[in-house]
Amino acid sequence: AQKITQTQPGMFVQEKEAVTLDCTYDTSDPSYGLFWYKQPSSGEMIFLIYQGSYDQQNATEGRYSLNFQKARKSANLVISASQLGDSAMYFCAMRVPRRRGGSEKLVFGKGTKLTVNP
Amino acid sequence: DGGITQSPKYLFRKEGQNVTLSCEQNLNHDAMYWYRQDPGQGLRLIYYSQIVNDFQKGDIAEGYSVSREKKESFPLTVTSAQKNPTAFYLCASSIIPDSYEQYFGPGTRLTVT
């Protein structure tokens, strides 16, 4: 069964420093996708970054990068130069391939609460 | 501006009453999804729809119902059969059912007492 594990319930980082949020996944499908979403206190889920299982390069989007280690089944999010506005919940998710008659869907981890201190 | 709207932001109901949560999108997306989020948990899929007049159960569909009569709208009804309805409900859409990116609405926080 597909599963996402985020082992850090909470993380603290000083403003302007880098922080890594851990994510490990479990799947037997050769084709899959990994996502990171940010959820501020308002509740909306904001897409940050995506990594496909066949992508050779680690994904980057501005201050966000995804450290993809396929053999270890890990997809850690690195936020460089943290800002106060980065304080939020962060969710790792995996795209589960289509099954007969179904659609692709996302499986989410339990999240990590990041607090950026001034 | 294109996006997904969910209303209301906060909803209160008495136990035993059905309640319908609204989700509207003007992104012209074919696929729409409903997720439930409980405290300290990630999102779990309730229902999804790939096209108008078609929808499938997700992982936790019991006690919920949906309809997809228009491309823009995917309302979720929380019935009295749902044992623990108090939760945060998020609606999402994607361009096509297999698109890797889902866009989320702001969510509705439902409290049932």
Side-chain angles (χ1 to χ4, degrees), chain A residues 13-19 63 79-84 86 116-118:
Chain A
V13 66
Q14 287 298 122
E15 195 177 6
K16 300 180 185 176
E17 292 185 350
V19 62
R63 294 185 299 111
I79 305 175
S80 62
S82 297
Q83 301 172 356
L84 295 178
D86 293 336
V116 181
N117 294 318

Side-chain angles (χ1 to χ4, degrees), chain B:
Chain B
D1 278 12
I4 301 176
T5 56
Q6 291 184 244
S7 59
K9 180 73 173 173
Y10 299 95
L11 193 52
F12 298 89
R13 279 294 182 272
K14 294 288 187 185
E15 195 173 326
Q17 293 179 335
N18 291 355
V19 59
T20 297
L21 281 59
S22 165
C23 177
E24 304 277 333
Q25 54 98 359
N26 60 4
L27 300 166
N28 201 32
H29 286 177
D30 285 314
M32 297 187 74
Y33 310 80
W34 271 107
Y35 291 92
R36 169 183 172 136
Q37 186 179 25
D38 294 286
Q41 303 289 325
L43 279 63
R44 292 182 290 168
L45 183 66
I46 305 173
Y47 266 99
Y48 59 92
S49 168
Q50 301 180 65
I51 198 168
V52 174
N53 292 323
D54 181 64
F55 48 83
Q56 288 84 37
K57 293 181 179 180
D59 298 321
I60 54 166
E62 185 175 350
Y64 300 98
S65 66
V66 293
S67 63
R68 186 87 187 276
E69 297 176 2
K70 298 187 299 183
K71 188 175 185 177
E72 305 79 26
S73 179
F74 191 40
L76 174 75
T77 297
V78 184
T79 74
S80 56
Q82 167 50 233
K83 301 241 186 288
N84 296 297
T86 295
F88 187 57
Y89 291 88
L90 282 156
C91 178
S93 69
S94 61
I95 296 173
I96 55 175
D98 291 349
S99 172
Y100 71 80
E101 186 173 348
Q102 293 184 11
Y103 296 80
F104 284 82
T108 292
R109 193 168 299 278
L110 173 65
T111 302
V112 176
T113 57

Side-chain angles (χ1 to χ4, degrees), chain A residues 67-112:
Chain A
N67 185 1
F68 183 46
Q69 298 191 36
K70 199 169 182 177
R72 294 184 179 182
K73 294 191 173 180
S74 74
N76 299 339
L77 176 71
V78 180
I79 305 175
S80 62
S82 297
Q83 301 172 356
L84 295 178
D86 293 336
S87 293
M89 286 291 293
Y90 288 80
F91 290 93
C92 181
M94 177 168 60
R95 184 190 65 206
V96 176
R98 177 192 289 266
R99 298 289 180 229
R100 190 193 314 171
S103 176
E104 293 198 346
K105 62 178 183 180
L106 296 178
V107 174
F108 285 82
K110 294 187 176 183
T112 295

Side-chain angles (χ1 to χ4, degrees), chain A:
Chain A
Q2 291 85 359
K3 185 178 178 182
I4 293 284
T5 302
Q6 295 180 254
T7 58
Q8 306 155 315
M11 288 284 287
F12 294 87
V13 66
Q14 287 298 122
E15 195 177 6
K16 300 180 185 176
E17 292 185 350
V19 62
T20 298
L21 306 184
D22 294 341
C23 172
T24 58
Y25 61 92
D26 188 20
T27 182
S28 57
D29 290 289
S31 176
Y32 52 89
L34 296 156
F35 303 76
W36 278 92
Y37 282 88
K38 173 184 178 181
Q39 187 179 42
S41 56
S42 59
E44 186 174 355
M45 298 287 281
I46 302 168
F47 167 75
L48 295 178
I49 197 166
Y50 169 80
Q51 179 86 40
S53 58
Y54 295 119
D55 294 342
Q56 297 294 319
Q57 305 271 3
N58 284 347
T60 60
E61 290 285 349
R63 294 185 299 111
Y64 304 107
S65 61
L66 199 152
N67 185 1
F68 183 46
Q69 298 191 36
K70 199 169 182 177
R72 294 184 179 182
K73 294 191 173 180
S74 74
N76 299 339
L77 176 71
V78 180
I79 305 175
S80 62
S82 297
Q83 301 172 356
L84 295 178
D86 293 336
S87 293
M89 286 291 293
Y90 288 80
F91 290 93
C92 181
M94 177 168 60
R95 184 190 65 206
V96 176
R98 177 192 289 266
R99 298 289 180 229
R100 190 193 314 171
S103 176
E104 293 198 346
K105 62 178 183 180
L106 296 178
V107 174
F108 285 82
K110 294 187 176 183
T112 295
K113 183 174 182 180
L114 177 65
T115 302
V116 181
N117 294 318

